[in-house]
Amino acid sequence: KVWVIVLRVGMLGNIGLTKTAVSIVATYEAITAMAAGALIGVLLLPLLHADQTSIEGTSVYWVAPIALMPIGLVGLNRFVNRISRWKNGPNAPQLPRVKLHMVLLGLATSMIGWLMLGLSLWMCVNGLHQGDDWPLTGERFLHLVSINALAYVIGFLAVMMPAGGGIREIAL
């Protein structure tokens, strides 16, 4: 989780951007992708069957606030810039600003990515399914998108497990 950001800073830190700017962008990208997964997973969650909406009796609606994280971080970014100007004077260099419309665009495009990952999951399951084809219905597609997105987000949040290993598979 952290290594993705560290690797991006290492690889992109020499393209004319400051390492701070690359760090902020990489952090926002990771958080926005997970927030979009949480948002689409929670929005589609009511469509799942009752036995699919919990993990050992624990509701997964607690991932819903993650969808608001990028929007909250836009405010935090502005707050940190104001504190920096107050502390270092009005001519102090500002941290790169993250604009709300870009975060919302990132959420929308990431949600499209989650839809594609649901389709990819169907292709894998259909390829491994023995016997007749496993047709892609609208309901099945939405189930796969929701389950896949929530499993990834839960795995991402399992900070005690490297890369969410095991947690994601249990959620699936």
Side-chain angles (χ1 to χ4, degrees):
K1 299 160 192 163
V2 174
W3 282 110
V4 171
I5 296 168
V6 171
L7 289 172
R8 286 183 183 168
V9 170
M11 292 184 332
L12 298 174
N14 299 326
I15 63 168
L17 297 173
T18 65
K19 291 192 186 280
T20 302
V22 174
S23 300
I24 290 171
V25 168
T27 302
Y28 269 90
E29 188 275 330
I31 290 172
T32 301
M34 289 302 112
L39 182 61
I40 200 164
V42 169
L43 287 176
L44 297 176
L45 197 60
L47 302 175
L48 297 177
H49 298 290
D51 59 343
Q52 293 175 316
T53 58
S54 63
I55 299 172
E56 296 182 17
T58 304
S59 174
V60 292
Y61 280 106
W62 58 270
V63 299
I66 296 163
L68 300 175
M69 249 177 114
I71 296 168
L73 289 176
V74 170
L76 178 64
N77 179 265
R78 291 180 180 166
F79 176 73
V80 168
N81 269 328
R82 284 189 180 161
I83 296 295
S84 176
R85 281 196 315 260
W86 173 72
K87 183 178 175 188
N88 299 322
N91 297 329
Q94 286 193 7
L95 293 172
R97 290 193 71 169
V98 179
K99 296 184 168 106
L100 180 61
H101 74 279
M102 293 305 291
V103 171
L104 295 175
L105 181 63
L107 279 170
T109 55
S110 291
M111 288 176 79
I112 293 168
W114 285 108
L115 292 171
M116 294 298 107
L117 284 171
L119 184 62
S120 174
L121 179 60
W122 172 78
M123 288 184 211
C124 291
V125 172
N126 192 38
L128 295 173
H129 193 263
Q130 295 180 354
D132 296 333
D133 280 342
W134 199 52
L136 182 62
T137 63
E139 182 182 13
R140 182 170 286 155
F141 174 68
L142 296 177
H143 286 187
L144 291 171
V145 170
S146 180
I147 292 167
N148 192 43
L150 289 174
Y152 266 84
V153 172
I154 291 168
F156 184 81
L157 294 176
V159 293
M160 70 283 191
M161 302 295 292
I167 302 296
R168 185 178 306 126
E169 288 71 23
I170 290 169
L172 277 173

